[in-house]
Amino acid sequence: MVLSGALCFRMKDATLKMLYLHNNQLQAGGLQAGKVIKGEAISVVPNRSLDAKLSPVILGVQGGSQCLSCGTGQEPTLKLEPVNIMELYHSAEESKRFTFYRRETGLTSSFELAAFPGWFLCTMPEADQPLRVTQLPKDTSWDGPITDFYFQQCD
């Protein structure tokens, strides 16, 4: 099956903070200026050049005109890059830096960076902090990074 357009999802972390766009950066929070945050529409397509059994997905914002990337350095650097999600979807190139392996764990999912195995998307316990990446800590205490997300298709 070939998609004609990206699918739309909303993401919130396990503590129910919504992902939203602020100053060209994805952040996680619940209220902004006293209003409940609806959450950013996240454009999603599979990466067809990687093993489908690993659920490789590309995540974009602003209608898929910018995609989440982990960069090309020695260490992952999470950022939004101005690249069209459908061009990545149709491209024969691997585009690993834009790809995250979605791992479903019951009602939530975690997102491992394809280019940096062992690194995951995360939020911090405090509200209105940028989305980041972390390696899974051995001690998953309550005050550490949150790597589990509710990943729900838009209405």
Side-chain angles (χ1 to χ4, degrees):
M1 178 177 99
V2 176
L3 296 176
S4 59
L7 302 173
C8 176
F9 284 80
R10 297 211 190 272
M11 289 174 70
K12 53 187 166 188
D13 71 14
T15 64
L16 305 182
K17 292 190 303 290
M18 296 294 298
L19 293 189
Y20 66 94
L21 198 59
H22 180 70
N23 291 335
N24 203 37
Q25 194 173 50
L26 278 172
Q27 296 190 346
L31 294 174
Q32 192 171 42
K35 295 183 179 171
V36 174
I37 296 170
K38 182 178 181 184
E40 185 69 22
I42 308 291
S43 301
V44 179
V45 296
N47 183 327
R48 301 185 304 164
S49 67
L50 296 174
D51 186 350
K53 287 187 237 110
L54 299 174
S55 299
V57 294
I58 299 169
L59 306 173
V61 296
Q62 295 186 317
S65 65
Q66 294 189 76
C67 292
L68 204 53
S69 163
C70 62
T72 56
Q74 294 288 84
E75 294 276 314
T77 305
L78 199 61
K79 60 185 172 183
L80 287 170
E81 290 190 32
V83 59
N84 184 290
I85 196 168
M86 292 311 291
E87 287 176 18
L88 291 174
Y89 173 71
H90 290 295
S91 171
E93 293 178 34
E94 207 172 84
S95 48
K96 246 188 179 177
R97 78 175 190 265
F98 296 104
T99 305
F100 302 86
Y101 294 126
R102 179 181 174 203
R103 311 233 187 275
E104 292 186 66
T105 50
L107 296 176
T108 60
S109 297
S110 62
F111 295 87
E112 183 177 17
L113 285 63
F116 293 91
W119 288 82
F120 291 81
L121 289 180
C122 73
T123 61
M124 299 310 287
E126 304 82 25
D128 305 313
Q129 297 296 310
L131 185 67
R132 343 179 156 196
V133 294
T134 188
Q135 291 181 300
L136 287 184
K138 290 170 185 41
D139 170 32
T140 53
S141 62
W142 61 271
D143 60 347
I146 301 160
T147 58
D148 292 326
F149 294 88
Y150 292 99
F151 191 64
Q152 299 163 321
Q153 201 152 3
C154 297
D155 298 334

